[in-house]
Amino acid sequence: MALFLLFSALTGILMATLPYPNSLYVFITMLSSCVIEYFYQVKRKNQSFPIAQLVGRMDFTLFPVAGYLCYGKPDTTLLLYLVFFYPWTLAHLAVNDFIDTENDRARGIKSIPVLYGLEGTLFWISGFTLLHYLAALLFLKQLGDIALYGFLLGFLVLGFANYKLLKEKSQRAGLFALFLFHVSLVLYSCSIILDSFF
């Protein structure tokens, strides 16, 4: 608790250095993330429908939003980014849960694999990956050619991650898929940054 309060205070000081109303935007984003994370941790132990996951992944989605709002403002680009990134976070969560299914069962956590089993989890991952692809088409309209090429690489990496999971259906494949999900995120981030310079 002491560490939490210390880092929260430091974060508050940093937020205060931002111009107004950006400081307010970032504060609201941080507060929302904390509330959502608390809800996720509590709700995921007592549910028959994955509401904790569907709501809880918004906290991950909000992290880069806070970065955007440091100097940006709520606009169409931000909305399309949210629509693009949210399905990725849901697919990523299920890959994480797929790897940790035994621990989730032992701790009484109603994760995606616990609720829907192996096949349901693979369907969840593939389905949200597909939604992520479709949402990316909207977001890419806000970006340039460099981002397009970076995103295409990211799509290939995610496609291969899904292929490995569907083919092998093992924890080892899950660990490799999780790594590939992170690679896709790096590709997206780097291509967006490079796209902003050129």
Side-chain angles (χ1 to χ4, degrees), residues 1-15 30 34:
M1 182 58 73
L3 278 174
F4 172 75
L5 293 173
L6 172 64
F7 285 121
S8 294
L10 290 172
T11 304
I13 292 167
L14 284 172
M15 280 189 294
M30 183 189 77
C34 290

Side-chain angles (χ1 to χ4, degrees), residues 156-170:
L156 289 172
V157 169
L158 281 181
F160 187 64
N162 276 262
Y163 167 76
K164 288 288 284 185
L165 273 174
L166 290 167
K167 183 183 178 185
E168 297 182 19
K169 301 178 182 178
S170 66

Side-chain angles (χ1 to χ4, degrees), residues 4 16 21 28 33 44 56 74 83 87 111 121 127 158-159 172 177 191 196:
F4 172 75
I28 291 170
S33 267
R44 67 185 182 148
V83 172
S111 62
T121 303
L158 281 181
R172 183 177 176 181
S191 64
S196 69

Side-chain angles (χ1 to χ4, degrees), residues 9-11 25 28 34-35 38-39 55 73 75 98 102 108 111 118-119 121 134 141 147 151 155 161 175 184 187:
L10 290 172
T11 304
Y25 296 152
I28 291 170
C34 290
V35 171
Y38 177 79
F39 173 82
V55 174
K73 63 180 188 296
D75 57 17
F98 178 80
E102 289 182 20
S111 62
L118 173 63
E119 295 301 324
T121 303
L134 295 174
K141 291 181 179 179
F151 275 46
F155 295 165
L175 285 166
S184 74
L187 289 169

